[in-house]
Amino acid sequence: MNVRSGRITETELLVDGKEVAFHRVHGHGVYPLTLAAQLPGEPPQQVAVRLERTGVPERPLSCALELGGAVHPMPERTER
């Protein structure tokens, strides 16, 4: 999951380095936001990634993977 924010906020969901879902909005984004995609394989699996505001300035968004009925919190990595 990549999030680029500013006057336009772009959120992309990547699987194996390839974009599988994308969302763009003017402003700082609307949360919670869920992006859904299909994982490759036989049979393909549905996956969703949910972003939510945390209310904490040091870590403004939390990210969770929803797969097979289970929710898995995702660790944050930031690029600078």
Side-chain angles (χ1 to χ4, degrees), residues 49-75:
V49 177
R50 183 176 176 88
L51 287 170
E52 295 190 45
R53 290 199 189 278
T54 63
V56 178
E58 303 83 43
R59 188 171 179 255
L61 295 174
S62 69
C63 187
L65 171 70
E66 299 173 5
L67 177 65
V71 177
H72 308 276
M74 297 176 68

Side-chain angles (χ1 to χ4, degrees), residues 9 13 15 23-24 32 34-35 38 47 50 52-53 57 65 68:
T9 298
L13 175 57
V15 173
H23 183 262
R24 176 183 289 147
T34 301
L35 294 180
Q38 201 171 56
V47 63
R50 183 176 176 88
E52 295 190 45
R53 290 199 189 278
L65 171 70

Side-chain angles (χ1 to χ4, degrees), residues 3 5 16-17 21 24 30-31 34 41 45 53 62-63 65 69 76:
V3 178
S5 62
D16 293 332
R24 176 183 289 147
V30 178
Y31 299 98
T34 301
Q45 284 186 295
R53 290 199 189 278
S62 69
C63 187
L65 171 70
E76 180 180 357

Side-chain angles (χ1 to χ4, degrees), residues 7-49:
R7 290 195 304 182
I8 295 176
T9 298
E10 295 179 332
T11 307
E12 63 182 347
L13 175 57
L14 305 169
V15 173
D16 293 332
K18 296 180 183 173
E19 183 182 291
V20 295
F22 183 81
H23 183 262
R24 176 183 289 147
V25 66
H26 289 276
H28 293 288
V30 178
Y31 299 98
L33 171 67
T34 301
L35 294 180
Q38 201 171 56
L39 294 177
E42 281 303 318
Q45 284 186 295
Q46 294 295 319
V47 63
V49 177

